[in-house]
Amino acid sequence: MGSEDCSWVFDSLVGFLQGPIWNAPILTFIEQKSSIFEPGDSEHEDEYKKIHEEYKDLVDSMLGSYMEDIGITPEQFENACSKNSTEGVQIRFHQTLFEQVWAANDYEIFKRMMIQKNLELQLQALEMIQQRYGITPQSFLPADGEESLQTEEEARIMEEVIKKSLEEYEASKQLLDSSTLEIEQSLASSPEEHHRLEAECKREKELLHTALQHTIEPEIQNEEPPFTKYQDELQTQSEVDEEELLRRQEYLKAQRDKLLALKKQEREKQLKAVEVGNTRQRPRSAKAAQAAMDGQPEINAQTLQVRKALAERLKSEVVGRKH
């Protein structure tokens, strides 16, 4: 395989990684499974590691189906990855893509990614509650500029989810009991929970970034970031008693789960729409994506080398981009 073939392979690959056939199953898995990943939780390591194995299988399944669709073997792909970047080969990808691929190889990166996603989703759910009460949300995560994998498809999904969430709320709010309404109103109007989630999101993002940097350039010491101003504020907050905070957090997690269900529904619609045009072009990938959405990813042990080769190539591109 010559350098021109290498260029074609990676152009095609990056397009695939940014498209809905990859995003629908990968992002749905990350979001659905992230709900049990909590900061500082060391009691569920065995369960976390089991989910990591499932994630590796999913990534391998999607990459393997992609290899079959473009008609090259894992050995040919590995050979293409091992070649140095040549002139004219421009690989553009988001930081989130690197995280998604590298997380399959590295358990600690995976765990950090999942914790951060859980916190982001809780903050997203909180801001949707605020919107119900006429409070303009500060942001709908993720919103990290160029480092965010906020594709046009994902933006449309989020818009539809927000619309449906508001519609469902308007249809059912008269049935809500006074206790639920009280919790919602306190979450919408009180800053404590928003500050807590913002602080933890920021800290976990910094920890993930540090861990990735340490993986990419091992000479960087993997130190925990300093406390942020949000965390200083949290330490002084004592207006709300512990029981009330716990009630708010439990309710917020329930709202997060509703948000996830809506997101999955929208991604399934999106996937079915693209399958119409991709059944001939990407028959194996489309089938693998649907199987993964149904909770039955196809396992292909031969693609282990594909994933590792891809991760190493992306790592080299990240290092090359920094220097």
Side-chain angles (χ1 to χ4, degrees):
M1 181 180 289
S3 61
E4 65 279 1
D5 293 323
C6 179
S7 174
W8 172 80
V9 167
F10 280 99
D11 283 346
S12 175
L13 173 65
V14 172
F16 173 70
L17 294 178
Q18 292 177 330
I21 291 180
W22 168 270
N23 279 325
I26 295 294
L27 293 179
T28 296
F29 181 97
I30 291 171
E31 289 184 349
Q32 295 281 332
K33 300 288 187 177
S34 71
S35 61
I36 69 167
F37 287 75
E38 298 285 352
D41 182 4
S42 59
E43 296 181 3
H44 298 89
E45 285 292 319
D46 289 343
E47 193 169 1
Y48 291 170
K49 289 178 180 177
K50 180 182 177 182
I51 294 173
H52 185 227
E53 291 299 318
E54 294 173 2
Y55 183 70
K56 287 192 286 188
D57 288 342
L58 174 59
V59 170
D60 287 349
S61 171
M62 296 310 302
L63 290 177
S65 64
Y66 164 78
M67 294 293 102
E68 291 182 37
D69 282 338
I70 65 174
I72 68 172
T73 66
E75 290 76 19
Q76 287 174 317
F77 184 78
E78 186 176 23
N79 182 55
C81 284
S82 66
K83 295 181 183 299
N84 293 327
S85 296
T86 57
E87 287 189 27
V89 179
Q90 296 293 326
I91 302 177
R92 294 181 177 87
F93 60 95
H94 293 277
Q95 180 73 17
T96 307
L97 282 177
F98 176 59
E99 292 173 8
Q100 289 173 356
V101 175
W102 199 263
N105 291 330
D106 190 303
Y107 170 69
E108 289 300 323
I109 299 296
F110 173 76
K111 186 167 73 169
R112 291 291 180 197
M113 178 182 75
M114 297 295 273
I115 292 172
Q116 182 187 342
K117 179 57 65 177
N118 183 17
L119 293 168
E120 285 181 354
L121 288 166
Q122 289 182 60
L123 186 53
Q124 205 169 60
L126 175 59
E127 293 184 338
M128 289 181 74
I129 291 173
Q130 291 176 324
Q131 191 179 49
R132 295 172 187 170
Y133 286 83
I135 300 171
T136 303
Q138 294 180 21
S139 64
F140 281 106
L141 292 178
D144 301 318
E146 293 184 357
E147 291 188 358
S148 170
L149 192 64
Q150 185 73 344
T151 62
E152 290 183 12
E153 291 84 1
E154 279 299 302
R156 283 197 292 269
I157 284 174
M158 195 60 209
E159 286 178 8
E160 192 63 27
V161 164
I162 293 169
K163 177 183 174 183
K164 285 193 173 183
S165 177
L166 288 172
E167 288 174 352
E168 288 184 4
Y169 178 75
E170 288 298 322
S172 63
K173 68 178 181 180
Q174 292 183 345
L175 302 175
L176 297 178
D177 57 47
S178 59
S179 176
T180 300
L181 286 171
E182 182 183 339
I183 293 175
E184 280 208 340
Q185 289 168 355
S186 65
L187 279 168
S189 60
S190 302
E192 292 90 355
E193 193 64 15
H194 201 285
H195 285 328
R196 179 186 74 84
L197 288 169
E198 273 193 330
E200 292 191 357
C201 277
K202 183 177 179 64
R203 179 173 173 78
E204 288 300 327
K205 181 178 179 181
E206 290 171 347
L207 287 169
L208 175 58
H209 178 72
T210 301
L212 281 167
Q213 288 298 109
H214 182 69
T215 299
I216 295 168
E217 300 178 272
E219 66 272 13
I220 296 177
Q221 294 299 313
N222 195 3
E223 297 178 349
E224 292 197 357
F227 283 97
T228 66
K229 65 176 181 178
Y230 289 124
Q231 289 163 318
D232 290 336
E233 289 174 4
L234 288 174
Q235 291 174 356
T236 63
Q237 291 171 359
S238 58
E239 301 87 2
V240 183
D241 64 57
E242 189 173 339
E243 184 178 349
E244 174 64 15
L245 283 175
L246 184 60
R247 287 176 64 222
R248 292 182 186 181
Q249 290 170 17
E250 289 301 317
Y251 183 78
L252 191 57
K253 288 177 181 178
Q255 295 301 302
R256 172 203 60 196
D257 293 343
K258 290 182 180 180
L259 172 64
L260 291 180
L262 288 173
K263 280 191 171 187
K264 185 177 181 182
Q265 288 175 12
E266 290 305 311
R267 288 210 184 97
E268 287 173 339
K269 287 182 186 177
Q270 183 191 68
L271 189 56
K272 282 181 170 59
V274 299
E275 278 178 353
V276 175
N278 282 277
T279 301
R280 292 184 179 180
Q281 183 182 2
R282 300 230 187 279
R284 292 292 302 168
S285 298
K287 181 181 176 183
Q290 189 57 60
M293 292 293 283
D294 294 337
Q296 299 175 329
E298 302 172 350
I299 309 300
N300 186 346
Q302 290 184 337
T303 54
L304 173 62
Q305 68 190 98
V306 171
R307 186 216 323 147
K308 291 190 173 181
L310 172 59
E312 286 296 333
R313 179 57 187 267
L314 291 180
K315 183 173 81 167
S316 71
E317 292 293 330
V318 170
V319 174
R321 190 171 57 181
K322 291 179 181 294
H323 297 291

